[in-house]
């Protein structure tokens, strides 16, 4: 089977594996897109990278968001200093996993370039609530992952609604998760240092309660 046709199938199998426990480890690096809707915590949209590159190497298990360095009225006036944000496990656990995409090694390398480009230490750390916020950051990661129909101007300050719109516009390219973070993290299989074969998807044994649509 051609690799481009295999990846959507692989994403589906990986999702079944994480939900029902049949896949011992993730093949390839998977990018998962998250939203966070609680109070003034930032970033409100971010992504995780988890798995092992097809070419081999150590396991990857990291997350990145983009946020302003400080929350002040200056956010409403224009551009301010921004930074990459690494979320703590508790923050991820109180966020919502929306959907995932299995990356090629080349796409994974491009995501790393994106991260460096938005890093205030080595790239452009400018944050703008209207045109360079956390959603714009994950939007560029989604573009690298091969997703299309990413432009929703009215949703660029609504992370959950934006990510759900992207998932709905790319039904054949994403594995929809739609789970609260704590439950999703608990469902993930352990990572191993070597790529593994993906087992056949099992028959569902339980129904995951979906998050409410917004």
């Amino acid at each position: 089977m051609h690799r481009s046709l295999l990846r959507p199938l692989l994403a589906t199998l990986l999702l079944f594996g994480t939900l029902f426990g049949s896949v011992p480890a993730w093949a390839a690096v998977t990018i998962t897109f998250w939203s966070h809707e609680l109070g003034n915590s930032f970033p409100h949209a971010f992504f995780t990278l988890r798995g092992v590159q097809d070419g081999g190497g150590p396991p990857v298990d990291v997350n990145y968001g983009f946020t302003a360095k400080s929350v002040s009225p200056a956010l409403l006036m224009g551009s301010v200093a921004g930074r990459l944000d690494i979320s703590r496990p508790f923050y991820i656990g109180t966020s919502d996993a929306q959907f995932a995409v299995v990356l090629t090694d080349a796409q994974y390398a491009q995501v790393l370039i994106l991260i460096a480009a938005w890093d205030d230490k080595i790239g452009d750390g400018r944050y703008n609530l209207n045109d360079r916020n956390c959603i714009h950051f994950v939007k560029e990661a989604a573009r690298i992952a091969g997703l299309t129909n990413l432009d929703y101007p009215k949703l660029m300050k609504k992370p959950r609604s934006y990510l759900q719109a992207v998932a709905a516009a790319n039904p054949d390219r994403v594995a929809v998760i739609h789970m609260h973070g704590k439950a999703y993290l608990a469902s993930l299989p352990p990572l191993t240092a070597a790529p593994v074969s993906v087992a056949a998807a099992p028959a569902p044994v339980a129904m995951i309660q979906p998050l409410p649509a917004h």
Side-chain angles (χ1 to χ4, degrees), residues 31-101:
I31 184 169
T32 302
F33 292 83
W34 299 70
S35 63
H36 190 95
E37 302 291 331
L38 300 179
N40 293 321
S41 299
F42 292 92
H44 285 135
F46 62 97
F47 58 80
T48 55
L49 297 166
R50 192 174 193 272
V52 179
Q53 293 186 73
D54 287 333
V60 175
D61 192 1
V62 295
N63 71 84
Y64 293 96
F66 185 71
T67 188
K69 285 190 175 182
S70 62
V71 179
S72 73
L75 287 171
L76 302 176
M77 305 300 292
S79 296
V80 298
R83 61 177 176 81
L84 292 176
D85 188 88
I86 311 300
S87 297
R88 297 179 180 274
F90 176 80
Y91 185 90
I92 299 176
T94 57
S95 303
D96 299 325
Q98 297 293 348
F99 63 85
V101 181

Side-chain angles (χ1 to χ4, degrees), residues 89-115:
F90 176 80
Y91 185 90
I92 299 176
T94 57
S95 303
D96 299 325
Q98 297 293 348
F99 63 85
V101 181
V102 181
L103 300 174
T104 65
D105 285 358
Q107 288 171 328
Y108 172 63
Q110 288 297 311
V111 171
L112 297 184
I113 292 173
L114 169 70
I115 293 166

Side-chain angles (χ1 to χ4, degrees), residues 8-29:
L9 174 61
L10 178 58
T12 302
L13 294 179
L14 289 174
L15 179 62
F16 272 107
T18 58
L19 296 183
F20 305 118
S22 67
V23 179
W26 288 49
V29 175

